[in-house]
Amino acid sequence: MKINSASTLLTKNHIGKVSEQERLQQNDYLDAVKAFARLTYESIYIIDYETMTFEYVSENPIFLCGHSPEEVMKLGYDFYFKNVPENDLALLNIINEAGFDFFKDLPGEEKILYSITYDFHLLNADGKKTLINHKLTPLLLTKDKRMWKAMCIVSISHHKSAGNICIFKQGSDEIWEFDLKDKGWHKSEKPKLTKREIEVLHLYAQGLSISEIADKVSVAPDTVKYYRRQIFERLNVRTIAEALAYAVNSKIM
């Protein structure tokens, strides 16, 4: 599937003209977004679906591919064609269609509670590919509850391949996973960790060794290793780094 035009990618939600009353929602929200960007290593950018442009791009380098934020904003959607491999452009088009079809059927104001996460590759300035995780959530809705502006957060993915498409709802344990084979959403629940397993993960996040964690929770080192195996099994990951990324992204810890 060859994609070579911005009109064929990520434009399913083009909302047209926004009313002046709706514009009153904006206030100074970009100041809050910029403040958040200063506090995180992740890249942040804002999509405006009225103008189909990037309204803001943070200085955090993960998403920039060697460009400046101003250059990425000027490129807009052309940034994807310049910095995403062809196969992943086709994947983004599928995600765009499926994601907005899902969003369209959600009830009114609840739409603001949902976010979608997925992985795709970016081409760096040296031509090397980096697998990134991309999260998108509504920032502002129009009066007819369509997504007007969205906040996107980009970080390094802990997966090995592109895809891994999931939708989450704030305050819910439900997850909707998209199957690229049957092109359908399948509902499941977030994996659950025990209080002790979450405690162990928090201690790993602090950089403690197995022996130091064992001292903290007053158990033997072998017991910490048992908790670690349980965490890996429940989250279907292979390393502590993957477990921490999964737990943070899924809001388990």
Side-chain angles (χ1 to χ4, degrees):
M1 178 179 179
K2 187 172 179 60
I3 299 174
N4 53 23
S5 169
S7 64
T8 63
L9 179 71
L10 299 176
T11 56
K12 186 179 181 68
N13 190 53
H14 194 185
I15 62 172
K17 190 70 173 175
V18 172
S19 71
E20 289 304 314
Q21 183 178 4
E22 289 170 311
R23 292 185 194 283
L24 295 177
Q25 297 180 67
Q26 291 188 86
N27 296 320
D28 296 321
Y29 76 92
L30 269 181
D31 289 337
V33 173
K34 292 174 183 177
F36 176 57
R38 292 195 295 271
L39 296 175
T40 180
Y41 72 93
E42 298 170 313
S43 294
I44 297 171
Y45 69 106
I46 304 297
I47 298 176
D48 185 331
Y49 288 106
E50 180 191 17
T51 58
M52 303 306 297
T53 59
F54 297 162
E55 184 179 19
Y56 167 73
V57 177
S58 73
E59 295 180 358
N60 311 46
I62 300 171
F63 181 65
L64 299 179
C65 298
H67 300 287
S68 69
E70 293 75 20
E71 289 170 336
V72 174
M73 288 180 66
K74 185 176 180 180
L75 283 168
Y77 274 62
D78 284 340
F79 170 84
Y80 297 112
F81 298 100
K82 184 178 177 65
N83 295 284
V84 178
E86 186 71 30
N87 287 344
D88 286 31
L89 280 175
L91 172 66
L92 291 182
N93 203 50
I94 292 170
I95 294 170
N96 174 61
E97 291 282 328
F100 280 112
D101 282 345
F102 184 100
F103 186 79
K104 176 187 64 179
D105 294 331
L106 295 174
E109 287 295 341
E110 282 192 23
K111 291 180 176 182
I112 207 78
L113 301 177
Y114 286 79
S115 59
I116 186 170
T117 175
Y118 46 89
D119 300 324
F120 64 94
H121 290 93
L122 288 176
L123 294 171
N124 299 321
D126 58 6
K128 292 182 179 179
K129 294 194 296 186
T130 299
L131 186 65
I132 59 99
N133 176 255
H134 189 276
K135 302 182 188 70
L136 182 151
T137 193
L139 189 59
L140 294 175
L141 302 178
T142 62
K143 62 183 178 182
D144 58 353
K145 308 308 176 190
R146 299 176 68 188
M147 196 185 306
W148 173 14
K149 299 191 181 186
M151 176 186 288
C152 303
I153 297 181
V154 178
S155 58
I156 301 298
S157 172
H158 69 275
H159 290 109
K160 304 302 181 185
S161 59
N164 312 301
I165 308 152
C166 294
I167 285 178
F168 299 89
K169 180 184 179 184
Q170 183 179 351
S172 171
D173 287 334
E174 293 178 332
I175 299 175
W176 291 264
E177 299 181 68
F178 187 74
D179 190 319
L180 286 167
K181 292 181 180 179
D182 67 18
K183 300 296 189 295
W185 294 99
H186 302 277
K187 186 166 71 171
S188 60
E189 287 196 356
K190 293 179 186 177
K192 291 181 172 59
L193 300 179
T194 66
K195 288 183 179 180
R196 179 49 61 90
E197 289 163 355
I198 292 173
E199 182 181 14
V200 168
L201 263 186
H202 279 142
L203 293 171
Y204 267 115
Q206 295 174 26
L208 273 60
S209 67
I210 289 176
S211 296
E212 290 170 330
I213 293 172
D215 288 341
K216 283 279 188 180
V217 299
S218 302
V219 299
D222 283 346
T223 303
V224 174
K225 293 178 183 178
Y226 167 77
Y227 291 139
R228 185 177 62 182
R229 287 195 301 272
Q230 289 292 100
I231 292 168
F232 289 176
E233 183 175 331
R234 294 185 202 276
L235 303 186
N236 191 28
V237 297
R238 292 174 294 179
T239 68
I240 280 295
E242 290 180 4
L244 287 168
Y246 187 102
V248 170
N249 289 340
S250 304
K251 298 185 178 179
I252 293 173
M253 60 177 286

